[in-house]
Amino acid sequence: ETGGLTFGELWRRSLGIAAALQDRGVAPGDKVGLLARNHAGFVECLVAIAATGADVVLLNTGFAGPQLADVVANEGISVVLHDDEYASVVAGCGAVTIGESQHQPLALTHRAVRPSRKAGAVVIMASGTTGRPKGAARSGGSASIEGIAAVLDAIPLRLGDVQVVPAPLFHAWGLSHLLLGLARCTTTVLARRFEPEQLLRQLVAHDVNVLVVVPVMLARLLAVPDTSSFPELRVIASSGSAIGAALTTDVLDRFGPVLYN
């Protein structure tokens, strides 16, 4: 919502945040929480944490204060980067907190930082619907390469795509497509909140090739009366829950044979 960001700007801004994290003692082996919606700041903080070599713990934006404090203690999180709207949620969580309004001046410092040679893990939290949310660490290796290859074999993602990712970045599906997009020089369009009317406008305005969603988003999209055509849309990548036959048929009728589930 604040405009575009080039890959070079992303790198420089992220290293500014990384330098500030290192000043606060963040080092390889530490865990840093990220509590943010889908926007450029999420990506900057994700890259910044990775540059320090620390593990990044992606926190669910639906967490209440006590649940967040429990996760911070259980996962051993030392610092939490967060959107300003979650200031009351992170208050008293037991970790050092750095709000969104502080990220901007840190990002503009453009201090030279040598990214850590030790790669940290990405920790994705379980939903917590059946108890305490638990972190599942994901890191590189042959299994990751095989998983990426399987996605690329099944879904016709291309270099230089334009993708819209309303699926939450703190979950595996949205995060995977963000990272796949960074790897293939994709323009990624993000919005803090999913609004069907806005999303349909984005598809037209940006000549979008790839749309990354969960099924409930597809149902809400189809509920919006719209006569626009999307000639550049080549892929709707859906995951996260089961998609019924009726919804599948409706999506194909509306968008054409572009649905990959």
Side-chain angles (χ1 to χ4, degrees):
E1 76 281 1
T2 57
L5 194 68
T6 68
F7 277 71
E9 289 166 339
L10 169 65
W11 184 240
R12 290 189 294 273
R13 289 173 60 86
S14 297
L15 291 188
I17 299 172
L21 291 174
Q22 290 178 337
D23 289 346
R24 288 163 170 77
V26 173
D30 292 339
K31 289 188 176 181
V32 178
L34 178 53
L35 181 64
R37 295 186 184 272
N38 288 21
H39 59 94
F42 179 105
V43 188
E44 291 172 353
C45 291
L46 181 70
V47 175
I49 298 167
T52 69
D55 296 347
V56 55
V57 183
L58 301 179
L59 300 167
N60 192 316
T61 56
F63 281 166
Q67 192 174 28
L68 176 65
D70 188 44
V71 168
V72 165
N74 191 56
E75 297 293 326
I77 296 170
S78 57
V79 177
V80 174
L81 303 179
H82 64 91
D83 287 350
D84 285 344
E85 67 177 283
Y86 300 115
S88 62
V89 177
V90 302
C93 70
V96 174
T97 61
I98 305 175
E100 181 182 358
S101 58
Q102 298 171 270
H103 300 166
Q104 180 71 12
L106 297 177
L108 292 176
T109 59
H110 294 174
R111 280 175 48 194
V113 171
R114 184 183 297 275
S116 171
R117 289 183 174 273
K118 180 185 183 302
V122 176
V123 180
I124 297 175
M125 304 303 299
S127 65
T129 53
T130 57
R132 168 187 284 165
K134 295 182 177 62
R138 296 169 184 250
S139 55
S142 59
S144 296
I145 296 298
E146 290 170 1
I148 292 169
V151 171
L152 295 177
D153 185 55
I155 304 178
L157 303 174
R158 299 176 184 171
L159 290 172
D161 277 335
V162 177
Q163 65 177 6
V164 177
V165 187
L169 295 180
F170 61 79
H171 279 325
W173 188 238
L175 178 68
S176 296
H177 282 274
L178 170 66
L179 299 180
L180 285 170
L182 291 174
R184 65 183 202 282
C185 304
T186 288
T187 295
T188 298
V189 182
L190 301 172
R192 292 180 188 246
R193 288 174 172 80
F194 171 67
E195 297 176 358
E197 296 85 353
Q198 178 192 48
L199 179 52
L200 289 170
R201 291 194 297 270
Q202 289 174 335
L203 295 179
V204 174
H206 299 286
D207 294 324
V208 171
N209 311 120
V210 179
L211 172 61
V212 181
V213 292
V214 295
V216 67
M217 293 176 174
L218 287 175
R220 290 185 60 190
L221 271 183
L222 293 173
V224 177
D226 189 272
T227 58
S228 302
S229 60
F230 312 101
E232 303 301 323
L233 186 61
R234 194 177 64 254
V235 171
I236 297 176
S238 174
S239 187
S241 61
I243 181 170
L247 179 56
T248 299
T249 300
D250 290 344
V251 171
L252 296 177
D253 288 344
R254 176 69 180 87
F255 295 100
V258 297
L259 178 62
Y260 295 81
N261 178 58

